[in-house]
Amino acid sequence: MEVDPTEPAPEAPAAHSPSLKRPQEEPDDAAAAAKRAKPEPENEVTEEATEGQEGAEAAKEKTDKRDNGKKGQKQKGKKGKDKEYVRTRRRGTRPEGEDAPTPEDGEPKAPRLPKRPCALLIGFCGDGYNGMQIQPDPKVRTIEGVLFDALIKVGAVSQDNSDNPTKVKLGRAARTDAGVHAAGNVVSMKLITAIPGVPNLVARINEELPPEIRLWSIIRVQNSFNARTTCDSRKYTYFFPSYLMIPPKPGSGLYNTLKAQGAEMPAHPFWETADPAATPQDDLKRKRAFRISPEQLAALREAAHKFEGSHNFHNFTVGRDFRDRSCQRFLKSIEILDPAVYGDTEWIAVLLHGQSFMLHQRKMISALVLSCRTGTPPQLIEELYGPRQVFIPKMPALGLLLEYPIFESYNRRVALANAKLQPGDPDYRAPIDFEVHRPQLDEFKQNHIYSKMRSIEDQHGIFDGWIRSIDAYAGHDLEYLNPKGIIPQSAVIKRGEFRNNPFREKKRYDATSFPTGGAVAGSVEEEESSEDEEAHLPLDKEELADLEG
């Protein structure tokens, strides 16, 4: 999903490929592990300039040996281009013998306080934010940017490190797109945790944060902890109104496509009682009163189980090829809850627990909904794992929620290290567990996420607009929706080949924030094809992986 990483290798059933990770030690090996483990000195992490001086001297000595007699030479860069090799010293360090600069105001600098590797457990409503990850441009408002500013204000990040988050090794477990919400996410960084005059650091930081961003707790972690690479799996929930299960309107483009492929398309009660002169707004009022049948709910659940396990999800993202090994992902479980009515609308929640999720993997929910509402057999899902590339529209971003990341392996490791320790001991490391904050998480989701999600749908009819754009399409891109559940050649996309009448998605459905007056900005009304979107993606695989979560 949007998802945050250099993804962990996909989990497979019994026969695993060899792992690059060090095997987990059994409890019987606890004594041996304790002998091998190096103690974590409580004062080993201080400000960047302090730890940088020794590193600068060592780097200087190695560089002098390696570059002796080679100054001014050119070095081959990427793609074979020549570039000047310039020797630089580490940022934040001073050459030996150079005095520390005197502040312009003449006031003595604040005393250095030790930093500790920490995990910050946070939750947020993504409305009005340009995603999770902090950006170089301070005008771009992001979740991490607001959090980082708050940490600076309370003194948890020093002024020396306030200009560059990489100095404190800022990272996150899951990257979320603009507008996407998270009940739980983890930020890892080096933090000043003992601040004079601040008895409750979590409460003090929350005072500086807006109400739509909450810090649940700060956990001291092992020095090797990295929120992205240490994370084992992530849980997401996707919400959508049940009226999306109403079949295509008779006479619409998708209805005619299905008929042409041999689908019977029996008359549906919703459309049988519709007024021929009804407007889309009239239809939407009636759709809100629709309730999914037990048979349709069972069909959804049957098809959803086709996603579980290890599969090639190249058709459920963008910018990836079938041969790309990173498309192989492992979905631990998918569960469709019983529908619930809020206001006039019935909603369905889909819970997904996966090792990692690819960019725009909410296409999974789109394939699930579209196949079930058109009577396409569930075997289509298995067809989509094959080498043929097709276009699957993205579900609206409005319904996506990151529940929280999971750190099972790390928790087992610290439990072993904590065997002879008490919570008050300096070397004790608490597990990372969002469930201890369950009451706060549920209250936050209800007040800041669910209420806004339903309010936007009630006012703007986002999901109705999306499904009408699907039904209006009369081209070949969706012809894999058929009574056989087989991808026809007419629906296959070949890179570089011209497609007549490709499906064009509106950027409106990637947005989660809309003006209260009902007017929608022109930028979100723009359309783009899948080729248009891929053209704006980074070409570097590591950059593309960093867009995932």
Side-chain angles (χ1 to χ4, degrees), residues 243 284-291 344-345 457-458 461:
Y243 67 69
L284 179 55
K285 289 180 181 178
R286 295 177 58 244
K287 287 179 179 180
R288 298 200 187 284
F290 174 81
R291 302 295 179 257
D344 297 329
T345 306
E457 165 59 20
D458 289 344

Side-chain angles (χ1 to χ4, degrees), residues 22 51 67 79 120 143 179 243-244 263 313 335 459 472 542:
R22 181 176 178 174
E51 63 183 7
D67 296 333
K79 299 184 180 179
L120 283 69
I143 300 296
Y243 67 69
L244 295 188
F313 286 94
E335 181 182 2
Q459 183 176 356
E542 290 188 5

